[in-house]
Amino acid sequence: MTNDKKTIKAPFQITVVFIALTIVGIAFIPKLSVRLNPSRFLPSLTISCFWQNASPEIIEQEVTSVIEGAVSMVKGVEKVTSASSKGRASVTVTFDKYTDMDIVRFEVASIIRQVFPKLPEQVSYPQISMNRPDDDDSERALISYTLNGPAIPWRIQKYAEDNIKKRLSQIEGVDRINVYGASPLEWQVSYNPEILQSLKIAPAEISTGIRNFFDSRQIGYAFENRGDTKNFYAVNVVPQTKSLEWSKIPVKKTGNRIVYLTDIATVQQVEHEPSAYYRISGLNTINLVIYPVKGANNIIVADNVKKGIERLKNELPSGYKIFINYDSTEYIKEELSKISWRTAFTVIILLLFVLLISLSFRYLFIILLSLVANVAISFALYY
């Protein structure tokens, strides 16, 4: 009697476990990353530093080789490549696909802190940049729209940035939105040659005065000792103000008088001369290009963006129109549709074959449930 209970209890427990795993797998289906192309590159990071005017040979011996030897012992390293050029050293470390890059970056940063005091004093502090396998996905446009209207291009672009871009950026899965098509505004300085001649001021002195007023200058390097480490930092002279107070920009001193920019010129903001025109049906056009977050489900993100655009269409000013220009998910949906139909026909043929051989609907039902459970569990593992 006891053996019979154990025999009944074990299959029941296994059934419950498989049902739970199946439910978990089905719950993960909406969270799967559906993209146009898979990742093709292993994760890596690049360490770069500078040594002004140093030859490639010296950088290779005293900088690149030291960094290479230090980072090559990190767990998960597949290969280490380096490049030494005049004034610059670059080391790229490639890891296997199972490596947690966030942990590795912290470990490499700790190694760099230990190695830096051993490098020559003229070498800048090494910078670490991440190169993940999904980085190229964020450079592929998910979907793009065209906005046109009866206004001048920069006004249309300003409306797109202030209203459409801000609203769409709040959608989950949207990484960034690029808006282009209008020439940017710029400051135009107009002067009277006769006034400049009377004050003995050359036009080049005007541009020099403006540049000096807003520019920051590096006057050298300084260092401080903290125990066994020596920290280097650049010493810069920065302007006192970054505001556009044109009347406070000195141009030249003539006698006892300081001539300011507004004394000899007028400053106004104008639209930059366009290098290209975007028009549809005679209306000026602005393009909005939307990029997804790495690893996001592109189909879900694109559908949410389309819903947001439909809501915004009712709020557009009179004469403004927005329509889709490119949708990368159309191809994905088409391919998924083909795969779905092929899979359905394959499963139907398989089940008919099982039914023909077994002549038992109970056995057919067990096979069907097993297929559903296996596929659902695979979805969880894919995630």
Side-chain angles (χ1 to χ4, degrees):
M1 188 71 178
T2 308
N3 293 334
D4 292 340
K5 287 183 178 180
K6 288 182 179 179
T7 305
I8 296 172
K9 187 176 182 182
F12 176 76
Q13 291 175 341
I14 294 173
T15 303
V16 171
V17 170
F18 268 88
I19 291 174
L21 291 175
T22 302
I23 295 172
V24 171
I26 294 173
F28 276 126
I29 292 177
K31 298 181 178 294
L32 290 176
S33 174
V34 182
R35 296 175 298 186
L36 181 60
N37 295 310
S39 300
R40 296 172 294 173
F41 306 102
L42 293 174
S44 63
L45 57 82
T46 300
I47 306 164
S48 58
C49 57
F50 301 90
W51 184 355
Q52 190 173 7
N53 297 326
S55 65
E57 293 79 9
I58 295 177
I59 289 182
E60 170 66 27
Q61 295 173 4
E62 301 192 24
V63 181
T64 309
S65 59
V66 175
I67 297 176
E68 273 187 315
V71 299
S72 61
M73 303 304 294
V74 177
K75 184 179 179 181
V77 173
E78 286 281 332
K79 65 176 180 178
V80 180
T81 58
S82 64
S84 302
S85 57
K86 184 177 181 180
R88 187 177 187 272
S90 175
V91 178
T92 301
V93 188
T94 304
F95 299 87
D96 59 47
K97 62 182 179 181
Y98 305 105
T99 303
D100 188 331
M101 293 303 295
D102 293 326
I103 295 177
V104 165
R105 181 172 184 173
F106 178 78
E107 185 176 351
V108 172
S110 300
I111 293 174
I112 293 299
R113 282 196 294 269
Q114 297 172 9
V115 170
F116 181 65
K118 302 176 183 178
L119 301 178
E121 294 184 356
Q122 298 85 350
V123 178
S124 64
Y125 193 86
Q127 300 296 317
I128 302 173
S129 58
M130 304 292 289
N131 310 311
R132 295 181 184 271
D134 295 338
D135 284 352
D136 56 343
D137 287 343
S138 62
E139 298 303 321
R140 296 192 185 102
L142 173 66
I143 190 170
S144 67
Y145 284 89
T146 297
L147 174 68
N148 58 29
I152 58 178
W154 73 267
R155 287 192 181 276
I156 302 175
Q157 181 163 327
K158 190 174 188 306
Y159 175 84
E161 291 178 345
D162 294 343
N163 298 276
I164 300 177
K165 182 177 179 179
K166 287 184 178 179
R167 296 274 289 275
L168 295 182
S169 298
Q170 299 174 2
I171 297 176
E172 185 179 358
V174 173
D175 182 30
R176 69 183 189 279
I177 301 174
N178 291 346
V179 183
Y180 68 93
S183 300
L185 296 178
E186 63 182 12
W187 291 99
Q188 185 181 78
V189 180
S190 304
Y191 60 87
N192 189 327
E194 295 180 357
I195 297 177
L196 263 63
Q197 187 176 5
S198 64
L199 295 173
K200 297 181 180 180
I201 298 175
E205 293 178 297
I206 297 178
S207 60
T208 301
I210 296 173
R211 183 172 59 253
N212 292 339
F213 184 78
F214 292 106
D215 193 19
S216 62
R217 300 180 183 180
Q218 182 175 311
I219 61 174
Y221 291 92
F223 66 90
E224 58 180 352
N225 289 316
R226 290 187 177 180
D228 297 333
T229 62
K230 184 181 292 185
N231 296 328
F232 285 83
Y233 57 91
V235 179
N236 296 329
V237 175
V238 298
Q240 295 181 354
T241 178
K242 289 290 185 181
S243 61
L244 297 177
E245 299 180 24
W246 303 104
S247 60
K248 295 184 178 181
I249 299 178
V251 176
K252 187 177 182 180
K253 183 178 181 181
T254 58
N256 295 325
R257 176 192 174 189
I258 298 177
V259 179
Y260 292 92
L261 180 63
T262 53
D263 295 335
I264 56 176
T266 57
V267 183
Q268 58 182 348
Q269 196 173 28
V270 298
E271 187 176 1
H272 181 74
E273 184 178 351
S275 57
Y277 293 92
Y278 301 89
R279 288 197 178 98
I280 295 179
S281 301
L283 298 176
N284 292 317
T285 300
I286 297 299
N287 297 302
L288 295 93
V289 184
I290 302 165
Y291 296 87
V293 172
K294 301 170 189 175
N297 189 319
N298 287 4
I299 294 178
I300 294 178
V301 176
D303 289 342
N304 291 336
V305 169
K306 292 174 184 176
K307 292 177 183 177
I309 289 293
E310 289 300 321
R311 290 191 294 267
L312 287 169
K313 283 183 177 179
N314 300 324
E315 305 174 10
L316 292 176
S318 177
Y320 280 65
K321 294 181 180 179
I322 185 170
F323 51 90
I324 193 167
N325 188 30
Y326 167 76
D327 184 1
S328 66
T329 62
E330 290 181 355
Y331 176 77
I332 300 177
K333 290 179 179 178
E334 183 180 348
E335 291 300 310
L336 287 177
S337 177
K338 292 179 182 178
I339 294 172
S340 300
W341 281 107
R342 291 169 183 168
T343 304
F345 283 126
T346 303
V347 172
I348 291 172
I349 294 172
L350 172 64
L351 294 178
L352 288 175
F353 180 76
V354 171
L355 181 62
L356 182 64
I357 297 299
S358 64
L359 299 177
S360 171
F361 285 98
R362 180 174 177 272
Y363 188 70
L364 178 67
F365 185 67
I366 293 173
I367 295 296
L368 181 61
L369 288 181
S370 300
L371 286 173
V372 172
N374 277 276
V375 173
I377 293 171
S378 68
F379 283 146
L381 296 177
Y382 291 150
Y383 177 77

